[in-house]
Amino acid sequence: MIGLAGLFNRQQLSDPGNGEIIERLNDTAQRIDQILKDVSHLLRIRESQAPPPVHFSSREIIDNCLARLRESMDLAHPKIELELEVLELFASKEYVQQILLNLIENALTFYSNDRPPEIKIRVQQTNEFYLIAVEDNGIGKIGRAHV
């Protein structure tokens, strides 16, 4: 990026080569941004594998996730429905919270402009496992490719 910035003609801002340099700088900045996001994601995964399971409230962790996404919630005005058959979980709290944050954030990001977003969060126990589901009426995986 520094090399590209050095090629920018500051004396003649209308130089036609400046447009291409700006485009390349922008592409490079976007690639660096994606690399930083990927590294951050990998660090979160590494950290989330280590914490031992603890007892925690399913309602409390959902409330924490919604609070952390308050800005997106205020923009989207979603209808949130909770179906909590299990009130206390025994699992890696950080891991569960990160997964919930990602799923809820996706629902708040990829919703249709034709209808208000609806998000249903379910917590159940099936045999020896917990089932934590986040359902939404968003645009879906195919629609996301066109955003």
Side-chain angles (χ1 to χ4, degrees), residues 45-56 61 89-97 130:
I45 289 172
R46 179 182 289 169
E47 291 172 0
S48 70
Q49 291 174 346
V54 295
H55 290 276
F56 59 93
I61 200 159
L89 302 171
F90 182 70
S92 171
K93 185 176 180 179
E94 293 84 0
Y95 186 64
V96 171
Q97 182 166 307
Y130 296 115

Side-chain angles (χ1 to χ4, degrees), residues 99-100 103-104 107 119-122 132-136:
I99 291 170
L100 275 172
L103 293 172
I104 297 168
I119 301 170
K120 180 178 181 180
I121 304 169
R122 277 187 298 130
I132 302 172
V134 177
E135 301 172 36
D136 65 73

Side-chain angles (χ1 to χ4, degrees), residues 56-67 80-89 93 96-97 100 104 121 123:
F56 59 93
S57 161
S58 58
R59 177 63 190 236
E60 181 183 330
I61 200 159
I62 292 168
D63 287 344
N64 287 344
C65 289
L66 296 175
I80 305 286
E81 180 183 340
L82 301 180
E83 193 177 296
L84 307 178
E85 294 178 14
V86 178
L87 300 177
E88 186 173 301
L89 302 171
K93 185 176 180 179
V96 171
Q97 182 166 307
L100 275 172
I104 297 168
I121 304 169
V123 180

Side-chain angles (χ1 to χ4, degrees), residues 9 16 35 55 62-63 68 73 92 99 102 106 124 126 128 134-135 142:
N9 187 346
I35 290 168
H55 290 276
I62 292 168
D63 287 344
R68 287 179 64 180
M73 298 271 294
S92 171
I99 291 170
N102 289 343
N106 283 344
Q124 301 172 303
T126 60
E128 65 217 51
V134 177
E135 301 172 36
I142 293 172

Side-chain angles (χ1 to χ4, degrees), residues 14-41:
S14 61
D15 183 342
N18 282 348
E20 184 180 345
I21 292 169
I22 294 293
E23 284 181 25
R24 288 186 183 196
L25 281 169
N26 186 40
D27 290 345
T28 303
Q30 287 179 0
R31 284 195 303 271
I32 290 171
D33 184 59
Q34 187 58 50
I35 290 168
L36 292 173
K37 285 178 183 175
D38 290 345
V39 169
S40 176
H41 177 71

